[in-house]
Amino acid sequence: MSKIFDWQLVFTEIPALLKYLPVTLKLTGVALIIGWMIGLLIAVVKIHNVPVLRQLCTLFVSVVRGTPIIVQLYLTYFGIPIALKYYNFYNGTSYNVNGIPSIIFAIVALGLNQSAFDSETIRAAIQSVEKGQVEAAKALGMNGFQIFRRVLFPQAVTVALPSLGNSLISLVKGTSLAFTCSVVEITAQGKILAGNSYRYFEAYCSLAIIYWVMTIFIERLFVYLEKKMSVPETVSAEASCGHIFTPGKTGWALSQKHGQEQGKEE
């Protein structure tokens, strides 16, 4: 009688699955960058209440957050070729629809999905910064970019990090559905190996171990970043004399420029 469960196979299949880990990491990395960039743009549009664009962004976020990621992958996989055929028809071009790499469909779907969720996180983080700090920065003569870089961004990142970490973990696990776009990553390779040996349970146990280790690494990384970028809960009494916070090598340092100017006036 053959083994009901083969423990040895669980660990011997891991190296074969790890050969496709770069594909999973590529999907995650590119989709994460797309998600953060578009998410930031959506957040800025909503914060400044840009007419028309705000309504369009709200509709986009609602649709993406209200539909399953696997449906979005299918829509992208079949929708992009259809859109390209229409473009060829009306513009007289001859772009090869079948020449689009399958990974592009998965990256687009995952990136747009990530942007919808991250946009709300980024918006809430930026709005968590007190308006008084922005007004104080304007009074010191800072322009919009300087205010964002020195006041809003450092504090918003600290607030958003936990949620962005959870979102990244969800993205890593979401790449396991990229096989619907004919992308062979670690989950798709696990299905192939299981189909050859008919040991599906062992193959999925191997996948579970890999994803679990990746998740632990991401959790530890974001915990480290949170500690490095955390704002001290208490500061010295000098902070009440008109000092402002600016990023420094140790995470946060007090800028005494404003305080020195006050001293000269006295």
Side-chain angles (χ1 to χ4, degrees):
M1 181 179 176
S2 61
K3 292 183 180 179
I4 297 177
F5 179 75
D6 191 346
W7 278 102
Q8 185 177 1
L9 186 62
V10 172
F11 296 99
T12 55
E13 284 191 341
I14 289 179
L17 295 173
L18 289 178
K19 291 180 181 179
Y20 291 85
L21 182 61
V23 180
T24 297
L25 296 178
K26 182 187 295 185
L27 284 168
T28 303
V30 178
L32 182 67
I33 294 173
I34 293 174
W36 283 355
M37 291 176 62
I38 298 179
L40 178 60
L41 291 176
I42 294 174
V44 171
V45 168
K46 286 189 172 184
I47 290 172
H48 293 282
N49 199 18
V50 181
V52 181
L53 289 180
R54 177 180 172 83
Q55 286 73 20
L56 291 175
C57 289
T58 301
L59 177 63
F60 168 77
V61 172
S62 177
V63 171
V64 173
R65 296 180 70 178
T67 54
I69 179 62
I70 192 169
V71 173
Q72 296 169 24
L73 285 164
Y74 280 128
L75 289 174
T76 305
Y77 185 66
F78 294 108
I80 291 179
I82 291 175
L84 192 56
K85 287 179 181 178
Y86 270 104
Y87 185 85
N88 287 338
F89 179 78
Y90 287 105
N91 294 276
T93 56
S94 57
Y95 292 111
N96 184 13
V97 177
N98 298 321
I100 304 176
S102 299
I103 195 171
I104 297 297
F105 304 122
I107 288 174
V108 170
L110 293 170
L112 293 178
N113 180 272
Q114 189 74 4
S115 68
F117 286 91
D118 286 349
S119 65
E120 293 301 299
T121 299
I122 295 172
R123 179 185 61 82
I126 293 176
Q127 291 182 327
S128 68
V129 180
E130 294 181 4
K131 293 182 180 180
Q133 297 188 37
V134 177
E135 294 172 358
K138 289 180 180 179
L140 290 174
M142 293 187 184
N143 56 36
F145 177 74
Q146 289 175 326
I147 292 173
F148 179 79
R149 184 172 65 88
R150 297 183 179 182
V151 180
L152 292 177
F153 181 76
Q155 297 182 71
V157 168
T158 304
V159 174
L161 267 180
S163 297
L164 292 178
N166 293 332
S167 182
L168 176 56
I169 291 174
S170 297
L171 175 61
V172 171
K173 292 185 287 187
T175 60
S176 62
L177 298 173
F179 70 87
T180 58
C181 295
S182 303
V183 178
V184 181
E185 34 71 60
I186 57 176
T187 298
Q189 180 62 14
K191 292 170 68 70
I192 294 171
L193 294 176
N196 293 333
S197 63
Y198 295 100
R199 291 283 187 173
Y200 288 91
F201 187 71
E202 286 84 346
Y204 289 126
C205 285
S206 302
L207 286 171
I209 293 173
I210 294 174
Y211 281 111
W212 181 40
V213 172
M214 292 172 64
T215 299
I216 291 175
F217 175 78
I218 294 172
E219 288 177 348
R220 299 302 180 190
L221 174 62
F222 273 81
V223 168
Y224 173 78
L225 292 176
E226 287 177 39
K227 290 181 179 179
K228 279 291 183 180
M229 302 185 69
S230 62
V231 182
E233 294 183 0
T234 57
V235 294
S236 62
E238 293 180 353
S240 61
C241 298
H243 293 67
I244 60 173
F245 287 111
T246 55
K249 294 182 179 179
T250 59
W252 290 84
L254 285 171
S255 174
Q256 299 181 353
K257 180 179 178 181
H258 188 52
Q260 291 174 353
E261 292 177 352
Q262 287 185 340
K264 291 179 180 180
E265 292 178 358
E266 295 176 358

